[in-house]
Amino acid sequence: ARFAALPQARERSYTAGTFSFNSGDGRCPTCGGSGFEHVEMQFLSDVYLRCPDCDGKRFRPEVLEVSIAGRDGSIRSVADVLDLTVHEALAFFGGEHDIRTKLQPLADVGLDYLRLGQPVPTLSGGEAQRLKLAGFLAEAASQGLTASAAPGHAFARTGRRGTLFMFDEPTTGLHFD
């Protein structure tokens, strides 16, 4: 929505969907917005090659021409923004409260190293669980309810009666000590 509101995007009649690699006319037609081409190998593991048309950026070149200025003064396209880590995005969108409200819970649960455009299937099980927790925290924050988390500690009260999160120590793959 931020990119669609820019003057250059409005001149071109771009909508928020244009800046989504999941759907819309803005995504690369060759790779379908995935950034890579899947090559099935008959007797070997499948191979994933960077898309030759978008060079892994997922969008058409004309969509990448639309750029937004960050708090730090840098200018970025939608592909550049999706390549930011959560930590970098918090600095880039520093003055925009609604974006910070969505990103801060990710940092609060220790996921500030993830890239904004990182595919969900590439997350570990623990990262996926923390992502779900961050979703609850973001929802609570947007409703103005009590919600907080820190690596190792989490508390959330979402306003729903009986909502409780309990966490135990991860043991799979760790040394017994």
Side-chain angles (χ1 to χ4, degrees):
R2 284 285 188 264
F3 280 93
L6 295 170
Q8 189 177 13
R10 286 195 311 250
E11 287 172 10
R12 299 177 181 194
S13 301
Y14 289 168
T15 65
T18 306
F19 297 96
S20 170
F21 57 81
N22 291 320
S23 64
D25 296 331
R27 65 183 175 175
C28 173
T30 304
C31 66
S34 67
F36 59 86
E37 291 182 317
H38 178 214
V39 180
E40 292 186 37
M41 304 296 282
Q42 212 166 19
F43 298 107
L44 301 170
S45 296
D46 291 353
V47 176
Y48 296 90
L49 302 172
R50 184 180 299 253
C51 177
D53 289 344
C54 69
D55 193 33
K57 295 189 183 214
R58 302 178 176 181
F59 295 92
R60 295 176 182 265
E62 59 270 20
V63 173
L64 295 174
E65 292 172 0
V66 178
S67 57
I68 191 168
R71 181 179 182 190
D72 59 1
S74 64
I75 308 288
R76 298 182 188 264
S77 70
V78 65
D80 296 332
V81 168
L82 290 173
D83 197 42
L84 294 173
T85 64
V86 171
H87 179 77
E88 294 166 340
L90 283 167
F92 184 77
F93 292 109
E96 301 194 37
H97 177 72
D98 54 336
I99 293 178
R100 288 190 63 85
T101 302
K102 300 290 185 189
L103 293 177
Q104 190 60 51
L106 292 169
D108 290 344
V109 297
L111 294 176
D112 59 340
Y113 60 90
L114 293 181
R115 302 219 172 265
L116 298 183
Q118 184 169 339
V120 174
T122 65
L123 300 177
S124 70
E127 288 170 334
Q129 288 178 339
R130 286 185 283 155
L131 186 61
K132 288 179 188 176
L133 174 61
F136 279 103
L137 294 173
E139 178 185 341
S142 69
Q143 296 173 359
L145 301 172
T146 304
S148 65
H153 301 359
F155 170 77
R157 188 170 80 204
T158 61
R160 291 181 238 162
R161 186 179 172 130
T163 302
L164 172 69
F165 298 98
M166 294 185 85
F167 303 96
D168 62 357
E169 292 294 323
T171 55
T172 304
L174 298 179
H175 190 277
F176 291 111
D177 291 342

